[in-house]
Structure formats: structure tokens, C-alpha cells
């Protein structure tokens, strides 16, 4: 784990779970693998607090445990899965995707599960139905069956999956005896479980309940008691569901490829690529370099009707896609009218390269971007050749190359003519390596997001007094309205906030919104670079 | 077969010289000492040597060396007259410069080849320049270096830099203007193809332009004072490729078609970038010059960042 990643994880944990979890989490990230006792001792926190923090982390899938170095007989060791903490940055994007695909119901389901980490189907359905009913006009309520259908659609397309079952140590069931505890280094993947995507049979009928504000306190207590008894009736206790992050990532990757195709070629080509990707959604393994081969006949049948493309035109589009220098689509055979695949890894590499070029362009200017692209294409060049190809005057070219070199975006390769590396007798070639540069930029992105979060916390802290005052005033206003006060009293209370303070509050709100949205924007870059780097590594 | 003429015993030096010149004319590649000896066996070595030296000093004979020995060759009458008024050293230097052709030669190299001291060289060069036999051309690679070449020769491209350099200055604005014009031409062609709404293959093919077409367009625009060749236009189009605005394919073409080089033609086409500017560059940190110095609690930190403050108020 790099320093920037650790810092970012710490900030995210603190924001979402509080100081204690942050302390435990960062310490565990830094140390790698620890037993419970060691962790409690080193963080100097009481044992039960450490236990609770670990429970929180495990509930969200960020911490895993397994048999330690001393084998099954020794104490259990815990380790943190850093990627899952960093996924917290992407939660808004997941929720937005669910909303665009499955509407408000889908959005709320995903939001609930992300918030709780793991949930049973019945409790999710009930909570979501209640929330939806709350927002509906009086007299209407949400039927459970609608929520159930949305849930099952999410499971069918693999966006939700069952949590892998934990083999309990020394339990009475025969299963547990046969399956030993997983070793720390090889956690079980959810996909290994054969019933990963099977919906349980539950008996769930009814409608969402609207919560009245007057019966708030009582209703909550009753609802809490009710959930405990309800679960046992519904028939799916012990089957917990979690969000399948990988599936969302594949979806984002497909979206990026489709938008790139539509920018480069045209709308119709991007629709064809979208159809191809949709057809191979669930059949292609996660780390594959290509989708499954699809014949032109299948693609033709699967195209949406609104496009009304004739068969020979479709063939022409496919040929154009294959001949495009970006090589999004490749042709692998001739049966069935031509077998076509989408080149996933190559598309990711092209997108990552475009990201690098855009960063260089925005940061250093279009001439430096020209030199950067030139070096990416031609691999190794001498200084004189760089000047000639880029048509940049010699002095400026030298200056730009040295700036890029100092920022480590460009490397220098020495090829000596003589065994002593005498400078006058050595060739100095400039080169760009895409993968290390992508990793460097990824670390920059992590640092940037950390900076944004810190700035947001700072802004909030600076204006804490003002925020507290405005909150008090709002509380007073609300209570006054509830007890039916006169208009004069309300305006008097409102005027307790002066105009400049109001303006300050507005600008603070504006700042925080801007910082929030820019975190999401940087996260897009992080996603592209991370996917590219993961695609170059061999699959586990 | 040469007729063996029984000549009078003539030891006249002028006759010897004339005889040598005739022999040279017979053998334009050059004659060795042996040949002269065979022809005039009665002439003594000394007389022969004197005649040869006289011819050399007058400049009518060229002395060359090959693996077998020395060769004498008749010098070109025209060039012989040119250097008539100069002495040996000047002739030597002139010869060296002439051999350098249109690439020119540097003073230090002249010194190595002729083994003359620097002061002598400079005097001779000034002399020759005043006689308008050689000229100095500034090299574009190293601006202080001067190369010398014959007066009436055109300097080679590597010295002047070709069409992009005027007076040793790289013409950046000229290149920029050409760049934009080519790009506009290709972009308008691509848009016309897109609007034509024909089948996609035809659309794509009509959005391509050969390098020959672009060259003709630029020539007709008339923005260039210098004549540009097709290779020049191709270098400009290559810079557009490196800008990411244009892509190129090569197709096989018949030899006879216009603009084809070695049976190939290069086609260029305007393209759009495949992604929008990425998220990282939309915030100040992505462009910050002091990014590496920024830490929480330091002089430069996210909390007191000036760039961020300005950006937030925007």
C-alpha cells in the first residue's frame, strides 16, 4: 500500500465510520496482518472497541480474517482489503447507475445495501418499500412485490450477489467440519459459491408502511422489535446480500468504451458496440482480454428495432470498426457471417493513453502534448529527431523535454558507443513507458482526492460556529412552526441570521458542493487508470 | 596502337611539357610517371621532373595519388584559368572546399586536410572570398559555425534546414499557419462526408484526402512564399497526427496515379479525440506546479491553498 493510498483510506474511514474505526483501520493497513491482541495492544484502545471496529469493517467487506501463521490452532489474523475502502469513493456512481438502469426502486435498494454492507433480502425489501411509501402522496403505498421484482432483476444481472458463507469454527453442522478455515492469503471468492445468484424463496407480501411523524419514537421501537421477529418468519435468515462491485466496474468499463466509440466514429457504431457488449455481459469472465466471439447474424438479430439497420449496412459498419486504428473490435473468424469480438484490454489501453495525453496537454500545453504523443508512437527518439518530427524550434523543444523529464513523465535511455559512458560518445534517447506513467498518475489522483477531502473538512471546521448557529435557528423555527406561532415571531427568528452570514453560508454550501462533485470527477480518472493497470496484470 | 615515331632528339622543355599534355589527353584518367618514361625514353629524369613541376605550378596538371603511385591528369581548362592568379596554398584550400561539394566544410576541417596554420588559412579564405570564388554559409545546426563552399553552389538542405528555415531561424508561425490550414481542410472534408448521409463505407472513404490533394490545396491557397514539396506537406501532416487530430492510412495505388510514391498513397482524415479532458485536470491539483510540495500541516497544504481558494470562488 502506498503512502497516498493509506492516507486516503484513513480519511474515508474517518468520514464514514468515525475516529476509532479510522485508527484501527489505518494501523491494520500499515501493519499488514495482525491478531486481535496485537492490534489492541498497538493501538492502545480497549479490546471491545477494537472488536466493534473490526465488526464494522467486516460487515462492509473491508476486513477479512483467516487462520494465522501458526495454523488453525493459533489465533486468528485480520487484514484489510484496501481496494474495498477505496471503492467508497465510488458509491455515488454505483447508486446513480442503479437508478438509471432500474429506476428509483433499484437506486434505493443499492443505497440501502451499500449503507449497511450486507443485508437479507426481506429486510431490504421492507426498508425500501417504507422509504418509497414515505415519499409518495397520501393514500398510496409501495407494494412489496414491485420491490421484490426490482431486487430479482438486480440479482439476475449480477449486480447483487450473496455473501460467501463463513465456515464457523467448531460448530455442530457437518459442513463446517469438512471445510477448513480459509488461509489468510486465499480468501474465498463469492463466485466460488455455486448458489451465488440464486434468489431465496421467501414469503413476502404486503405494502410499505408510512411513518407518521407524531408516532416517531414509539413506531421506531415497535419497528425494531418487529424486525427481529419478522426475520425468523420470512425464511431467508443467514442469506446476506452484498453489492457486486466487479460487475459495476465492468458496466462502467463498457460505458467508457461505448462513449469512446461514439466520439471517434458515430452514434450507430456505438450502438452496435453496445449491443455486442450487452450480449456478452454475463458470459465473459471478468479479466478476459476479449469478449466472447459473436457472429454477425446474432448481432443483427439482437440490435434494437428502432435502429432499423439493413444487413449489408451492418456488415459495413462492422468492417469499419475492425479497420479503425483504435482497434476496438476485431474479427476472429468467418463463420456465421463473420465472428467479431470487442478488444477489451486494447480499448482500456487506448483510453488510459488518451487520459495520459490529456493530462500532459492540460498541464504543459499543446506543444508538449505533441512531443508526448510523438514519443508514445515512436518509442525511442534522439533530441534532434524530436525537434524534426514535432516541428518545434530547438530551444523550445529542449525546454519542454527537460520539463517533462523532471516530472518523470518521460525517461532517458542511454546507449553507449564506448564502454566508458563518455557523454560525447553516448546516444541519449527519450522514451515514454505507458504503464509506469499510468501508475504515477494514479498516485497523483489519490493524493488529489485526499487533498479535496481535507479541504472540505477544513472549510467545515472554519465555519463550524456559523453552521451550528444556523442549525439552532432552524431547530427553533421548526419547533415554532409545529406549535403554530405567528408570522411576526418567525420573521424575528429568521432575522437572527444577518445577511452577510447568510451569504457566507451560501458560499460555504457552494464550496462544499463543488469539492464533492470534483471528487467524483477525479474518481472517473482513477477508475480508468485502475482498470488499465489491472488489465495488464496477470489474472489471479 | 601508337605509332612509334622517331622523333628528333629534342630536349626542349616546352616540347616535353606539350608532349606530357598530349599524353594526358590520350589517357583522361591520368598517366603515371612510367607512361611518360616509356613515351620519351631519351628524356632524363631531371628534365622530366622539371617539366612536370612547371605544369603543376602553372596549374595545367593535376597531381593525384593512387595505390600504385602518382598520377598526372590534365586539369580542366576552365578551372585552370580561375585560379591562375593564386599561389599554391590558395589552390590547395580551394581544392579542399571544392571537394566538399554543397555541404560545405568547416575551417577546422580545412586546417586538418591542408596542414596549414590557422592564420594562413584565414588569410587565404579572405582572399578567396574577395575574389568571389567561395562563400560562407551559416549552418542551422550550430549558429556560430560557418561552412565554406563554392560561390555558385546551392547549400544543401541539411545546412539551411530546408523550407522551414529562413535565415537560420525556424519559422514557427509559418508552420503553425500551415498546420491549421491543413487541419481545417481535412476537417471540412470529414464534415461534408458525414453530412452526405450515404452508406458508412462511402462516407468514410470520401472523408479521406490523399497527401497530393492536400498539397494542391495548400499550393493554391498561396500562403507560402517558398515552394513546398509533397514531403514538406507530409511532415506537416505528421505533426497533425502527433496532435491527435488526424489519422493516416496507407493504401496500395497503381504506379501511374497522381501522387503515388512507390506504389503507395497516404490518406489522411480528420478525427475527434476519444475522451473528453479527464477528471483530474478539472481541479487545481491536477495542474498545480507545486503539487509535490503540498502536505497537510506544511507551508503549502490543501487547507491554505491559494489556487483552490480562487477556484472555489469561481
Amino acid at each position: 500500500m502506498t503512502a497516498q493510498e493509506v492516507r486516503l483510506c484513513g480519511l474515508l474511514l474517518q468520514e464514514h465510520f468515525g475516529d476509532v474505526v479510522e485508527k484501527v483501520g489505518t494501523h491494520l493497513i500499515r501493519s499488514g496482518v495482525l491478531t486481535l491482541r496485537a492490534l489492541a495492544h498497538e493501538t492502545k484502545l480497549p479490546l471491545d472497541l477494537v472488536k466493534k471496529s473490526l465488526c464494522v469493517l467486516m460487515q462492509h467487506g473491508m476486513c477479512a480474517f483467516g487462520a494465522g501463521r501458526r495454523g488453525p490452532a493459533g489465533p486468528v489474523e485480520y487484514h484489510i482489503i484496501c481496494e474495498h475502502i477505496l471503492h467508497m469513493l465510488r458509491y455515488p456512481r454505483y447508486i446513480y447507475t442503479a437508478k438509471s438502469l432500474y429506476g428509483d426502486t433499484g437506486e434505493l435498494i443499492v443505497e440501502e445495501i451499500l449503507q449497511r454492507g450486507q443485508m437479507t433480502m426481506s429486510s431490504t425489501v421492507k426498508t425500501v418499500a417504507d422509504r418509497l411509501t414515505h415519499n409518495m402522496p397520501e393514500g398510496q403505498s409501495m407494494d412489496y412485490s414491485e420491490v421484490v421484482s426490482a431486487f430479482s432483476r438486480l440479482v439476475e444481472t449480477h449486480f447483487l450477489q450473496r455473501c460467501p458463507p463463513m465456515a464457523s469454527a467448531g460448530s455442530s453442522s457437518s459442513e463446517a467440519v469438512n471445510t477448513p478455515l480459509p488461509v489468510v492469503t486465499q480468501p474465498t471468492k463469492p463466485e466460488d459459491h455455486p448458489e451465488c445468484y440464486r434468489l431465496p424463496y421467501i414469503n413476502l407480501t404486503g405494502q410499505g408502511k408510512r411513518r407518521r411523524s407524531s408516532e416517531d419514537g414509539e413506531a421506531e421501537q415497535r419497528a425494531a422489535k418487529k424486525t427481529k421477529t419478522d426475520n425468523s418468519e420470512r425464511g431467508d435468515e443467514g442469506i446476506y446480500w452484498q453489492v457486486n462491485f466487479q460487475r459495476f466496474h465492468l458496466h462502467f468499463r463498457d460505458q467508457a468504451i461505448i462513449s469512446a466509440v461514439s466520439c471517434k466514429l458515430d452514434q450507430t457504431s456505438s450502438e452496435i458496440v453496445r449491443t455486442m457488449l450487452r450480449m456478452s455481459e454475463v458470459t465473459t469472465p471478468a479479466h478476459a482480454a476479449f469478449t466472447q466471439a459473436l457472429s454477425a447474424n446474432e448481432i443483427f438479430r439482437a440490435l434494437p428495432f428502432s435502429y432499423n439497420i439493413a444487413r449489408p449496412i451492418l456488415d459495413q459498419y462492422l468492417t469499419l470498426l475492425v479497420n479503425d486504428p483504435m482497434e476496438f473490435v476485431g474479427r476472429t473468424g468467418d463463420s456465421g457471417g463473420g465472428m467479431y469480438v470487442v478488444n477489451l484490454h486494447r480499448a482500456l489501453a487506448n483510453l488510459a493513453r488518451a487520459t495520459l495525453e490529456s493530462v500532459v496537454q492540460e498541464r504543459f500545453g499543446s506543444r508538449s502534448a505533441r512531443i508526448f504523443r510523438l514519443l508514445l508512437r515512436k518509442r525511442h527518439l534522439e533530441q534532434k529527431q524530436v525537434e524534426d518530427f514535432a516541428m518545434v524550434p530547438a530551444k523550445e523543444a529542449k525546454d519542454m523535454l527537460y520539463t517533462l523529464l523532471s516530472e518523470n513523465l518521460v525517461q532517458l535511455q542511454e546507449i553507449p558507443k564506448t564502454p566508458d559512458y563518455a557523454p560525447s560518445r553516448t546516444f541519449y534517447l527519450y522514451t515514454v513507458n505507458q504503464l509506469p506513467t499510468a501508475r504515477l498518475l494514479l498516485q497523483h489522483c489519490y493524493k488529489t482526492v485526499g487533498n479535496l477531502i481535507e479541504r472540505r473538512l477544513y472549510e467545515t471546521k472554519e465555519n463550524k460556529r456559523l453552521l451550528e448557529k444556523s442549525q439552532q435557528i432552524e431547530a427553533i423555527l421548526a419547533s415554532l412552526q409545529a406549535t403554530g406561532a405567528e408570522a411576526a415571531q418567525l420573521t424575528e427568528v429568521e432575522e437572527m441570521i444577518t445577511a452577510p452570514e447568510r451569504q457566507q453560508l451560501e458560499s460555504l454550501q457552494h464550496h462544499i458542493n463543488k469539492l464533492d462533485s470534483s471528487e467524483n470527477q477525479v474518481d472517473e480518472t482513477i477508475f480508468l487508470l485502475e482498470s488499465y493497470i489491472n488489465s495488464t496484470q496477470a489474472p489471479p | 596502337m601508337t605509332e612509334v615515331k622517331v622523333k628528333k632528339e629534342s630536349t626542349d622543355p616546352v616540347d616535353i611539357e606539350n608532349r606530357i599534355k598530349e599524353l594526358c589527353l590520350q589517357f583522361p584518367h591520368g598517366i603515371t610517371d612510367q607512361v611518360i618514361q616509356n613515351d620519351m625514353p631519351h628524356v632524363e629524369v631531371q628534365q622530366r621532373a622539371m617539366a612536370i613541376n612547371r605544369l603543376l605550378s602553372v596549374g595545367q596538371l593535376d597531381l593525384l595519388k593512387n595505390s600504385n603511385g602518382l598520377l598526372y591528369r590534365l586539369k580542366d581548362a576552365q578551372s585552370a584559368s580561375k585560379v591562375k592568379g593564386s599561389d599554391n596554398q590558395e589552390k590547395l584550400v580551394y581544392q579542399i572546399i571544392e571537394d566538399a561539394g554543397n555541404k560545405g566544410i568547416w575551417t577546422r576541417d580545412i586546417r586538418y586536410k591542408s596542414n596549414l596554420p590557422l592564420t594562413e588559412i584565414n588569410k587565404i579564405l579572405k582572399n578567396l572570398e574577395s575574389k568571389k570564388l567561395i562563400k560562407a554559409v551559416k549552418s542551422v545546426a550550430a549558429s556560430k559555425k560557418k561552412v565554406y563552399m563554392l560561390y555558385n553552389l546551392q547549400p544543401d538542405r541539411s545546412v539551411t534546414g530546408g523550407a522551414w528555415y529562413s535565415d537560420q531561424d525556424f519559422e514557427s508561425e509559418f508552420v503553425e499557419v500551415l498546420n491549421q490550414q491543413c487541419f481545417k481542410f481535412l476537417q471540412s472534408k470529414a464534415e461534408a462526408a458525414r453530412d452526405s448521409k450515404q452508406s458508412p463505407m462511402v462516407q468514410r472513404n470520401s472523408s479521406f484526402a490523399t497527401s497530393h490533394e492536400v498539397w494542391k490545396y495548400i499550393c493554391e491557397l498561396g500562403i507560402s512564399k517558398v515552394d513546398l514539396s509533397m514531403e514538406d506537406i507530409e511532415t506537416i501532416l505528421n505533426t497533425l497526427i502527433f496532435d491527435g487530430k488526424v489519422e493516416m492510412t496507407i493504401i496500395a495505388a497503381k504506379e501511374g496515379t497522381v501522387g503515388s510514391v512507390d506504389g503507395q498513397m497516404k490518406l489522411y482524415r480528420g478525427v475527434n479525440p476519444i475522451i473528453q479532458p479527464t477528471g483530474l485536470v478539472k481541479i487545481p491539483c491536477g495542474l498545480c506546479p507545486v503539487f509535490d510540495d503540498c502536505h497537510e500541516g506544511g507551508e503549502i497544504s490543501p487547507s491554505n491553498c491559494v489556487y483552490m481558494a480562487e477556484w472555489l470562488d469561481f
Side-chain angles (χ1 to χ4, degrees):
Chain A
M1 285 298 115
T2 67
Q4 297 303 331
E5 286 178 25
V6 174
R7 172 182 173 231
L8 185 55
C9 290
L11 284 169
L12 286 169
L13 284 175
Q14 186 171 29
E15 204 175 325
H16 285 98
F17 301 123
D19 286 328
V20 177
V21 178
E22 186 249 333
K23 214 164 160 198
V24 169
T26 29
H27 190 80
L28 196 50
I29 298 177
R30 287 215 175 92
S31 330
V33 185
L34 280 181
T35 59
L36 181 59
R37 284 225 160 261
L39 187 56
H41 175 73
E42 285 172 28
T43 52
K44 305 205 186 353
L45 290 169
L47 196 61
D48 59 335
L49 274 183
V50 175
K51 274 194 213 173
K52 283 191 194 142
S53 332
L54 283 175
C55 283
V56 169
L57 288 171
M58 266 189 263
Q59 173 77 7
H60 281 84
M62 294 167 194
C63 174
F65 63 92
R69 281 163 279 205
R70 301 224 197 104
V76 179
E77 292 189 337
Y78 302 88
H79 66 281
I80 295 267
I81 306 173
C82 240
E83 289 93 38
H84 287 195
I85 304 186
L86 292 172
H87 289 163
M88 274 205 274
L89 272 177
R90 228 165 271 158
Y91 282 4
R93 204 170 167 193
Y94 298 144
I95 299 173
Y96 180 71
T97 311
K99 180 175 180 148
S100 57
L101 288 176
Y102 297 109
D104 283 337
T105 327
E107 173 199 1
L108 284 181
I109 294 176
V110 172
E111 192 181 326
E112 283 295 318
I113 300 187
L114 279 175
Q115 202 174 24
R116 305 284 177 83
Q118 302 171 2
M119 279 175 89
T120 59
M121 183 167 163
S122 40
S123 49
T124 320
V125 167
K126 234 185 289 176
T127 331
V128 169
D130 288 341
R131 274 181 75 177
L132 281 171
T133 316
H134 194 67
N135 290 337
M136 283 168 134
E138 283 285 336
Q140 286 182 12
S141 65
M142 190 66 169
D143 200 30
Y144 279 4
S145 54
E146 281 185 44
V147 184
V148 168
S149 69
F151 195 98
S152 45
R153 262 182 296 152
L154 277 167
V155 172
E156 271 165 23
T157 43
H158 294 264
F159 282 111
L160 293 176
Q161 62 186 181
R162 284 202 201 187
C163 303
M166 285 294 146
S168 45
S171 76
S172 52
S173 81
S174 52
E175 277 185 41
V177 172
N178 293 337
T179 55
L181 275 176
V183 186
V184 166
T185 46
Q186 290 161 20
T188 50
K189 286 209 306 255
E191 269 87 19
D192 295 342
H193 188 57
E195 300 190 335
C196 185
Y197 299 109
R198 193 170 65 87
L199 284 168
Y201 175 70
I202 55 173
N203 179 13
L204 200 60
T205 50
Q207 291 177 337
K209 305 216 178 4
R210 186 181 297 277
R211 219 170 19 159
R212 311 272 169 212
S213 46
S214 51
E215 331 162 336
D216 249 339
E218 281 182 39
E220 272 186 31
Q221 281 184 16
R222 261 191 287 132
K225 284 211 191 106
K226 246 193 152 188
T227 40
K228 278 195 209 142
T229 48
D230 268 346
N231 260 346
S232 51
E233 291 169 14
R234 295 304 170 190
D236 68 337
E237 63 273 344
I239 304 178
Y240 290 93
W241 297 84
Q242 65 184 15
V243 171
N244 185 0
F245 293 120
Q246 212 173 45
R247 178 71 184 88
F248 273 105
H249 292 168
L250 295 179
H251 182 83
F252 296 154
R253 177 198 69 187
D254 293 346
Q255 271 185 330
I257 296 178
I258 292 167
S259 72
V261 172
S262 85
C263 279
K264 181 95 198 296
L265 296 169
D266 62 357
Q267 186 68 14
T268 324
S269 314
S270 76
E271 281 304 316
I272 296 176
V273 175
R274 192 199 298 268
T275 316
M276 286 175 77
L277 286 168
R278 198 165 28 94
M279 284 161 70
S280 49
E281 248 172 15
V282 285
T283 50
T284 314
H287 292 279
F290 315 99
T291 58
Q292 279 211 325
L294 301 163
S295 72
N297 296 330
E298 286 174 354
I299 300 175
F300 182 61
R301 276 196 293 266
L303 275 178
F305 283 134
S306 49
Y307 266 89
N308 207 14
I309 305 177
R311 182 56 200 276
I313 305 279
L314 172 69
D315 285 335
Q316 283 188 0
Y317 271 115
L318 284 168
T319 324
L320 281 180
L321 277 167
V322 168
N323 290 337
D324 191 68
M326 283 277 155
E327 292 185 13
F328 286 116
V329 173
R331 191 182 165 120
T332 56
D334 291 320
S335 58
M339 304 293 280
Y340 296 92
V341 289
V342 178
N343 294 326
L344 296 166
H345 282 195
R346 200 159 305 165
L348 279 175
N350 281 333
L351 285 167
R353 197 176 62 164
T355 312
L356 295 180
E357 290 168 6
S358 121
V359 172
V360 171
Q361 176 150 1
E362 298 292 329
R363 201 160 163 196
F364 298 111
S366 47
R367 289 216 182 158
S368 303
R370 198 191 282 179
I371 294 180
F372 190 74
R373 282 197 197 97
L374 166 65
L375 285 171
L376 269 173
R377 265 182 186 252
K378 303 254 182 190
R379 308 291 180 89
H380 293 271
L381 283 179
E382 275 189 325
Q383 165 127 14
K384 188 80 182 41
Q385 289 170 309
V386 170
E387 289 164 17
D388 287 336
F389 277 120
M391 311 223 67
V392 177
K395 271 200 208 123
E396 289 181 34
K398 212 187 270 198
D399 192 32
M400 286 175 199
L401 274 170
Y402 287 168
T403 319
L404 286 172
L405 192 64
S406 69
E407 296 285 336
N408 238 336
L409 292 162
V410 157
Q411 280 86 41
L412 204 55
Q413 171 77 33
E414 297 167 352
I415 302 190
K417 296 187 218 183
T418 53
D420 61 339
Y421 279 63
S424 60
R425 289 190 289 271
T426 336
F427 288 114
Y428 289 100
L429 301 175
Y430 291 95
T431 181
V432 175
N433 292 326
Q434 194 169 331
L435 187 54
T437 316
R439 283 185 206 264
L440 171 76
L441 266 183
L442 187 59
Q443 296 307 313
H444 275 230
C445 288
Y446 287 142
K447 184 171 177 184
T448 309
V449 180
N451 286 351
L452 286 170
I453 295 181
E454 278 190 9
R455 180 71 187 216
R456 182 159 47 92
L457 294 173
Y458 169 75
E459 295 257 335
T460 325
K461 201 170 63 156
E462 279 288 299
N463 297 306
K464 205 158 99 159
R465 189 196 67 84
L466 192 59
L467 279 171
E468 280 173 0
K469 182 174 173 188
S470 80
Q471 271 179 344
Q472 281 174 353
I473 304 245
E474 274 178 32
I476 297 175
L477 267 176
S479 65
L480 276 181
Q481 270 181 338
T483 55
E486 300 161 359
Q489 274 184 318
L490 287 174
T491 44
E492 203 185 300
V493 168
E494 274 178 19
E495 274 164 25
M496 279 166 64
I497 306 184
T498 59
E501 280 182 350
R502 210 179 285 274
Q503 220 176 15
Q504 214 178 345
L505 269 176
E506 265 180 43
S507 76
L508 175 66
Q509 190 65 29
H510 173 70
H511 288 186
I512 297 203
N513 286 344
K514 200 164 188 177
L515 287 166
D516 253 338
S517 57
S518 48
E519 273 176 50
N520 291 337
Q521 285 170 340
V522 181
D523 179 63
E524 282 175 24
T525 316
I526 290 181
F527 173 69
L528 276 178
L529 291 173
E530 258 180 12
S531 317
Y532 166 62
I533 294 174
N534 287 341
S535 75
T536 54
Q537 289 170 343
Chain B
M1 188 120 142
T2 52
E3 240 178 294
V4 177
K5 278 196 195 149
V6 179
K7 270 207 219 154
K8 273 192 293 186
E9 288 274 345
S10 158
T11 51
D12 198 354
V14 181
D15 275 347
I16 302 178
E17 286 173 17
N18 286 341
R19 186 62 202 143
I20 295 178
K21 275 200 271 187
E22 279 172 30
L23 276 171
C24 283
L25 277 171
Q26 268 187 329
F27 299 101
H29 291 292
I31 53 174
T32 62
D33 207 41
Q34 191 68 27
V35 175
I36 303 176
Q37 204 176 356
N38 286 345
D39 190 66
M40 298 181 278
H42 53 275
V43 173
E44 287 169 15
V45 183
Q46 251 185 338
Q47 284 178 306
R48 202 169 56 231
M50 235 172 43
I52 291 173
N53 275 336
R54 256 218 52 168
L55 282 172
L56 277 173
S57 63
V58 172
Q60 286 180 331
L61 214 60
D62 238 340
L63 181 65
L64 301 162
K65 195 170 165 178
N66 75 351
S67 42
N68 299 343
L70 299 167
L71 277 176
Y72 307 104
R73 196 167 66 185
L74 198 63
K75 207 174 211 168
D76 198 19
Q78 207 184 21
S79 58
S81 60
K82 245 194 252 181
V83 287
K84 233 184 203 149
S86 8
D87 63 347
N88 276 341
Q89 285 177 333
E90 284 192 5
K91 271 189 272 177
L92 182 60
V93 170
Y94 182 77
Q95 197 161 20
I96 297 173
I97 294 180
E98 192 182 13
D99 287 335
N102 65 352
K103 285 218 170 27
I105 190 165
W106 195 23
T107 47
R108 196 190 282 180
D109 294 331
I110 302 180
R111 204 159 23 116
Y112 282 158
K113 283 207 179 155
S114 63
N115 290 328
L116 294 169
L118 186 60
T119 46
E120 285 283 334
I121 297 269
N122 285 340
K123 219 172 22 157
I124 294 170
L125 286 171
K126 240 185 279 194
N127 228 338
L128 289 171
E129 261 183 284
S130 61
K131 283 193 222 158
K132 285 197 179 287
L133 294 166
I134 63 173
K135 67 179 174 194
V137 172
K138 254 201 325 169
S139 167
V140 81
S143 58
K144 304 288 188 317
K145 203 162 131 175
K146 284 210 286 207
V147 288
Y148 292 95
M149 61 181 69
L150 293 186
Y151 196 72
N152 48 359
L153 282 179
Q154 275 290 346
D156 188 48
R157 259 183 165 215
S158 64
V159 174
T160 61
W164 312 123
Y165 289 83
S166 72
D167 306 326
Q168 269 66 43
D169 268 332
F170 185 73
E171 291 235 338
S172 327
E173 299 109 34
F174 181 47
V175 169
E176 277 300 308
V177 166
L178 277 177
N179 201 322
Q180 281 168 11
Q181 287 298 325
C182 291
F183 179 54
K184 254 190 265 185
F185 173 67
L186 286 170
Q187 214 180 14
S188 57
K189 197 144 195 247
E191 268 179 36
R194 224 173 313 179
D195 292 333
S196 68
K197 295 259 173 283
Q198 294 165 320
S199 82
M201 255 328 196
V202 176
Q203 240 179 40
R204 191 178 102 117
N205 288 342
S206 60
S207 66
F208 273 114
T210 67
S211 44
H212 186 78
E213 284 175 40
V214 185
W215 177 66
K216 230 173 33 172
Y217 171 75
I218 295 289
C219 285
E220 280 167 20
L221 265 190
I223 45 179
S224 156
K225 304 173 291 254
V226 182
D227 279 331
L228 293 167
S229 70
M230 216 161 81
E231 280 89 30
D232 293 330
I233 297 293
E234 279 181 11
T235 43
I236 294 275
L237 288 167
N238 280 341
T239 63
L240 277 172
I241 297 179
F242 301 134
D243 275 335
K245 297 181 183 157
V246 156
E247 69 179 12
M248 172 183 88
T249 35
I250 303 184
I251 60 166
K254 278 209 312 231
E255 274 296 325
T257 50
V258 167
S260 63
V261 177
D262 298 328
Q264 297 171 343
M265 266 172 38
K266 293 202 178 122
L267 299 169
Y268 296 88
R269 177 171 163 257
V271 292
N272 297 324
I274 64 169
I275 58 167
Q276 304 296 324
T278 185
L280 178 61
V281 300
K282 293 184 182 158
I283 21 180
C285 290
L287 315 173
C288 180
V290 288
F291 185 68
D292 293 322
D293 299 329
C294 176
H295 300 285
E296 193 50 39
E299 272 282 326
I300 305 174
S301 74
S303 322
N304 62 8
C305 177
V306 183
Y307 298 125
M308 264 217 206
E310 268 185 41
W311 171 71
L312 283 173
D313 289 327
F314 186 63

